Every structure is written in C-alpha cells, then in structure tokens.
Amino acid sequence: MTINIILLGPPGAGKGTQARRLVEERGLVQLSTGDMLRAARSSGTEMGQRVAEVMDRGQLVTDEIVIGLIREQLAKGGNGFIFDGFPRTLAQADALGDLLADTGMSLDAVIEMQVDDEALVRRITGRFTCGNCGEVYHDETKPTAQAGVCDVCGSTDLKRRADDNEDSLKTRLLEYYKKTSPLIGYYYAKDKLAQVDGLAPMDQVGADIAGALEA
Ligand code: ADP
Ligand code: ZN
C-alpha cells in the first residue's frame, strides 16, 4: 500500500530520525526540504548561496524555492513519500495539495510530533550528524562509541549544522510558531492530523507513528 505522509513539528522534534525509519521499514521516499536546501548550498549554485544566509539565520527560505524543489522531486515519481520539513507555511500546504492532486496522489496523514521548547534547545545544541550516511548523534544522549568516528559507516566526517546554535534556534522556533504551527489546525480541519509524543523513546515514537498510520 502506498502512503504519503507529512511529519510536522518544531526544529529538533525528531522528524528526520523518524523519516529515516519509515524509509527503511516501508520503502517510502523521504523528501526533506532542509536536506535539499543544504545540498543546494554546498553545490555552490546561485540559488544555494542565496538560501545559505537565510538558513544560517534560522529564517524560512521563500515558498517559491521550496515548492519548486518539491515539484521536481514529485515529478520523478515514487511509491509513497514522507514530507519532512515541508510544508512549513499555509501557502506551501496549499501548493502541496495541488501538486499531489495534479499527479493523482493524495495525502494520507499528517503526524504532529509534540516536544516542549526546553527539550528542543537541549536536543539541538548537542546535535551532530555523519556527513556520509546521515546518522544523527548527540553529545550527551547519543555519542559515537569511538570519538570522531561514525558507528554506522566508520566515516570521520562528523559535522554540526551552522544553524544549530542558540541564536539561530530562537529564530527557528519563532518561525515555527508564527508560520508553521497554523498547519496543525489546517490539517486537523481536513481530518488528517495525528499527534504523537516526540519526547518518548525513539522506538516508542516509531511505534506510535505506526499506530497512527494504521488508524
Ligand atoms: P529543522 O527542522 O531542524 O529546523 P530543516 O533541516 O528541516 O531543520 O530546515 C533547516 C532550514 O532550512 C530551515 O530553518 C529553513 O531555513 C530551511 N527550510 C527547510 N525547509 C523549508 C521550508 N519548507 N520552507 C522554508 N524554509 C525551509
Ligand atoms: Zn556514517
């Protein structure tokens, strides 16, 4: 069965981690606009340079850019998508509805991952990832077994995001509350919303999402 789902929640809620699980368990395609924008910036294109500054400050990039990125990916086709970090504004949500309808697809569920602000700050300021395989680590809660080496793939290319600092995080949280949190009501009204406790242990969150998708 093919499904299309949105993972919704503030920065640091664990969207990326759960998206990766869903990719492994269900063969869905993860569409992370954050990852796409980071790829664009490191490719050194003009668009990439424009968005880099905006991202590092913690602000949202324009709707046109991210909608364009998603449109390109959907055109490639796939057997079910996980939207991770998209949509983030009401305009993006409307655009996604149109894009899915144009390609004969529909949205099955929106999973809101709920986490309180204090936990977010703790999670994000200790976060680092493997540049090779994408595994996510944390200084306190999930360090690598051997310092500086990825447990999964052995790469030493471990990095921290430029926007994972306290100032940018404040802006990211504000952007979330101002522009993204209205999507909770939007999808509730469309009967698509399910909520899970993002502070539960990782496996529990995964099980809760699976449960929400059954229902
Ligand atoms: P997080 O959820 O941890 O904030 P993301 O990787 O999803 O991280 O996004 C990082 C940054 O990329 C955002 O702060 C924003 O600048 C930009 N971005 C990602 N997705 C979108 C989007 N849908 N609309 C606008 N900007 C986006
Ligand atoms: Zn790795």
Side-chain angles (χ1 to χ4, degrees), residues 130 132-135 150 152-155:
C130 173
N132 181 50
C133 74
E135 187 69 7
C150 176
V152 177
C153 74
S155 169

Side-chain angles (χ1 to χ4, degrees), residues 11 41 52-59 120-127 160-173:
R41 70 182 287 177
E53 238 185 276
V54 178
M55 288 177 79
D56 288 353
R57 279 200 301 266
Q59 293 170 336
L120 296 175
V121 176
R122 257 184 284 118
R123 277 187 180 185
I124 286 191
T125 47
R127 178 163 78 170
R160 280 173 211 275
R161 278 169 43 175
D163 60 348
D164 276 354
N165 62 73
E166 242 180 290
D167 269 359
S168 302
L169 177 57
K170 277 200 190 114
T171 306
R172 283 156 71 198
L173 279 174

Side-chain angles (χ1 to χ4, degrees), residues 11-188:
K15 302 183 293 287
T17 303
Q18 295 302 327
R20 285 160 57 83
R21 288 177 72 115
L22 289 162
V23 168
E24 268 171 41
E25 288 166 11
R26 295 173 187 252
L28 302 177
V29 175
Q30 177 187 6
L31 297 183
S32 160
T33 43
D35 286 348
M36 291 176 209
L37 291 167
R38 278 184 289 277
R41 70 182 287 177
S42 54
S43 75
T45 59
E46 201 203 314
M47 186 268 266
Q49 282 171 355
R50 262 187 292 142
V51 301
E53 238 185 276
V54 178
M55 288 177 79
D56 288 353
R57 279 200 301 266
Q59 293 170 336
L60 295 186
V61 308
T62 64
D63 289 335
E64 280 107 301
I65 289 177
V66 290
I67 292 166
L69 289 170
I70 290 288
R71 183 184 295 116
E72 266 172 41
Q73 294 301 316
L74 289 181
K76 293 182 186 166
N79 199 28
F81 296 97
I82 311 162
F83 297 94
D84 161 13
F86 179 91
R88 262 176 154 96
T89 64
L90 290 167
Q92 291 176 23
D94 280 336
L96 178 60
D98 292 344
L99 285 172
L100 288 173
D102 286 349
T103 42
M105 291 188 280
S106 61
L107 181 65
D108 297 287
V110 177
I111 311 280
E112 185 208 345
M113 301 181 61
Q114 300 179 310
V115 178
D116 68 67
D117 292 353
E118 248 177 65
L120 296 175
V121 176
R122 257 184 284 118
R123 277 187 180 185
I124 286 191
T125 47
R127 178 163 78 170
F128 59 99
T129 58
C130 173
N132 181 50
C133 74
E135 187 69 7
V136 183
Y137 295 97
H138 190 281
D139 293 327
E140 276 137 42
T141 56
K142 193 189 167 195
T144 54
Q146 195 188 335
V149 183
C150 176
D151 295 352
V152 177
C153 74
S155 169
T156 53
D157 181 23
L158 300 175
K159 41 192 179 192
R160 280 173 211 275
R161 278 169 43 175
D163 60 348
D164 276 354
N165 62 73
E166 242 180 290
D167 269 359
S168 302
L169 177 57
K170 277 200 190 114
T171 306
R172 283 156 71 198
L173 279 174
L174 265 176
E175 292 279 71
Y176 177 77
Y177 289 116
K178 278 198 295 197
K179 297 175 185 166
T180 308
S181 67
L183 299 184
I184 296 166
Y186 176 98
Y187 286 117
Y188 174 78

